[in-house]
Amino acid sequence: MLTSEDPGTSVPALAGPDSIVAQRAMVLRPATQEVIFERAPDLQGAVASTQKLLTALVVWSAGELDRHIIIQEEDLACMPYHLGLQPGERATRLDLLHAILLGSSNDAAMALARDNAGSIEAFAVKMNETAVQCGMTHSCFINPHGLPDDRQYSTARDVGRLACRIDSIPGLRAMVNCREHAVPRADGSLIQLRNRNRLLLEAPGCDGMKTGYTRAAGFCLVASGGSGPERRIAVVLNSTEDAVWADARMLLFGASLVP
């Protein structure tokens, strides 16, 4: 059942809410963080690679995005998604940010965290401090990529608040809307990244943000779209491989957006 954040407040109906498969979901207006729609918004659990939005926010806030990072062997200990750079190769912080947001590269997340804080543990402290600043009061983060850890959790509401913060930063907002990005290598070749968010191509008006999947989190998607007072952010957690796209499309462009 879908409920209002305030039981005494009427929430605008969206077309076909009973067809939403996601176990946890949230729709907000990013400018005001007004809740339009929610399902189990405060239920804690894994959120998979959607937490890379938080990793990106910490790294972005540190600046010096043209600084090069040397990839180390320890960065590669995080299957399955790898950018493909080998130990000793270099990439800028900006290129590695594209790698985590478009290609969901776990090795890039590890390299960024190590570069930013010196260790994954120290970076997790920064993640949690930044999360609190975003109003994420029911979350705990242990690693920069979202791979399983029983100590790590968040909620649809908290992920929505994080997404609103990302949406307020023009550079990050542009990055999550980027369809492709090429990462140069020392030998002159390029690693071609393609955004894993299918809605960017399939749903006109969608302009971000981040996919995710683990067994515990199910198929996840944070999606943004629209403009002005009709702009929305939709958080879909614990959906299925087929339903996650339809869930997000319905929540992002539901009936109340249609004149």
Side-chain angles (χ1 to χ4, degrees):
M1 180 177 179
L2 299 169
T3 62
S4 165
E5 184 178 35
D6 177 355
T9 302
S10 176
V11 175
L14 296 181
D18 291 342
S19 69
I20 298 296
V21 174
Q23 296 175 23
R24 298 180 287 164
M26 171 72 72
V27 183
L28 308 96
R29 299 195 190 282
T32 61
Q33 295 199 21
E34 172 196 356
V35 175
I36 303 172
F37 183 89
E38 61 186 30
R39 171 182 284 176
D42 298 314
L43 180 62
Q44 294 173 332
V47 297
S49 286
T50 65
Q51 73 186 55
K52 287 189 174 87
L53 292 171
L54 182 57
T55 297
L57 178 57
V58 174
V59 172
W60 180 273
S61 299
E64 297 186 70
L65 299 183
D66 57 349
R67 173 176 167 170
H68 280 85
I69 299 174
I70 299 175
I71 303 301
Q72 298 185 7
E73 186 71 38
E74 64 192 84
D75 300 331
L76 309 185
C78 52
M79 293 294 286
Y81 298 123
H82 278 183
L83 174 60
L85 293 175
Q86 298 302 307
E89 289 194 87
R90 294 153 49 97
T92 66
R93 288 176 173 176
L94 186 62
D95 282 333
L96 294 179
L97 280 174
H98 279 90
I100 70 170
L101 292 175
L102 277 66
S104 208
S105 301
N106 294 324
D107 53 346
M110 292 281 280
L112 285 167
R114 174 182 52 77
D115 168 70
N116 178 274
S119 70
I120 301 305
E121 293 76 15
F123 188 78
V125 171
K126 289 190 174 186
M127 290 179 73
N128 287 304
E129 290 173 347
T130 303
V132 170
Q133 293 167 10
C134 293
M136 303 170 72
T137 56
H138 294 86
S139 299
C140 180
F141 300 99
I142 302 298
N143 63 51
H145 40 61
L147 291 177
D149 190 305
D150 291 341
R151 300 166 294 168
Q152 184 162 257
Y153 54 85
S154 190
T155 68
R157 191 185 309 281
D158 278 4
V159 173
R161 288 170 174 166
L162 169 62
C164 288
R165 176 65 178 135
I166 296 292
D167 199 62
S168 73
I169 301 172
L172 287 175
R173 183 167 162 177
M175 207 178 301
V176 296
N177 189 29
C178 184
R179 273 64 168 177
E180 297 181 346
H181 181 79
V183 177
R185 305 183 76 167
D187 62 5
S189 65
L190 298 173
I191 298 175
Q192 297 288 347
L193 299 170
R194 289 179 174 79
N195 202 311
R196 300 172 67 85
N197 182 0
R198 281 173 32 189
L199 289 193
L200 289 176
L201 297 177
E202 298 176 359
C206 178
D207 55 21
M209 288 190 169
K210 187 69 192 77
T211 59
Y213 170 75
T214 63
R215 185 174 298 176
F219 286 84
C220 305
L221 180 62
V222 180
S224 58
S227 60
E230 297 301 332
R231 184 164 181 76
R232 289 182 177 183
I233 287 174
V235 178
V236 175
L237 305 173
N238 295 102
S239 190
T240 66
E241 184 174 10
D242 293 331
V244 64
W245 310 107
D247 283 355
R249 185 194 295 261
M250 182 175 293
L251 293 174
L252 199 59
F253 301 112
S256 64
L257 286 180
V258 180

